[in-house]
Amino acid sequence: MKNESNAKLALNAMHRASKQAIEKAANLDLKIPVWKEGKIILINAKEKLKEISYS
């Protein structure tokens, strides 16, 4: 059970770090790489930030 809770904590930490990175990129008006339909594409960080703030 402890391993499961550690894994969940680690996953939550990665999600928080990802959101912070997207916020920083949006503030600098940068594009970020995203895996979509089997390839990597660059999207505007501000659009991605709006997308994740709704979910």
Side-chain angles (χ1 to χ4, degrees):
M1 177 128 168
K2 185 175 181 179
N3 287 338
E4 185 177 321
S5 60
N6 285 342
K8 194 168 191 168
L9 289 172
L11 187 59
N12 288 339
M14 286 188 279
H15 283 292
R16 287 191 307 271
S18 171
K19 186 174 181 183
Q20 286 180 343
I22 293 169
E23 288 171 348
K24 286 182 182 180
N27 287 337
L28 296 172
D29 201 26
L30 299 174
K31 293 188 178 209
I32 57 172
V34 176
W35 184 264
K36 189 173 186 176
E37 298 174 6
K39 58 184 173 180
I40 296 175
I41 61 169
L42 295 176
I43 63 167
N44 189 331
K46 289 181 182 179
E47 292 176 17
K48 183 68 174 175
L49 187 59
K50 287 179 190 175
E51 181 182 309
I52 63 170
S53 65
Y54 290 131
S55 18

